[in-house]
Amino acid sequence: MPPAERPGPPAPVPFRSVPLGLGPGEQADFRIDPVETRAYTVGPFGDGDLVVVLFEERNGEPRCLVGHDDGGTPHNATRAVRLVKGCRCFVRIRLYSARGSGETAVMCW
């Protein structure tokens, strides 16, 4: 999944959601800076079919850690992964289609 073409919203702070404001086919990228080494969960909320992919930067290149496509299911694309303090991580979220209000947000915890 390539980077988004436009700058993304502010980075998610643990336990606080960030509205995505995406239209179908649009993508948002977020940087995550783990404050401690532990398992983190990253996931979207709302009425949409989304793909979520979490990357860790290694030697200047993004390396895919985990991803999920929730398209066609009633579940959200939430994933847990162990992140290491000091690593540079990114989450990329793409909205394929929206239902209902179409409002979506992302959170890490």
Side-chain angles (χ1 to χ4, degrees):
M1 181 181 279
E5 294 179 6
R6 61 184 170 97
V13 175
F15 304 102
R16 292 196 184 142
S17 64
V18 177
L20 293 173
L22 299 174
E26 292 183 329
Q27 177 177 312
D29 296 356
F30 299 92
R31 180 175 168 175
I32 297 176
D33 296 311
V35 294
E36 61 183 312
T37 299
R38 66 174 177 86
Y40 288 81
T41 301
V42 177
F45 301 78
D47 295 327
D49 286 335
L50 297 149
V51 173
V52 176
V53 182
L54 185 67
F55 297 87
E56 180 181 45
E57 187 175 287
R58 290 203 181 162
N59 300 320
E61 294 293 324
R63 178 177 166 245
C64 180
L65 296 176
V66 66
H68 185 67
D69 179 350
D70 70 6
T73 72
H75 309 288
N76 288 319
T78 302
R79 285 293 176 251
V81 65
R82 184 175 185 275
L83 301 178
V84 177
K85 179 180 179 177
C87 76
R88 185 173 172 161
C89 300
F90 304 90
V91 62
R92 296 180 179 159
I93 301 172
R94 184 173 295 158
L95 176 70
Y96 280 105
S97 65
R99 299 179 302 275
S101 69
E103 293 182 25
T104 54
V106 65
M107 181 186 285
C108 78
W109 63 96

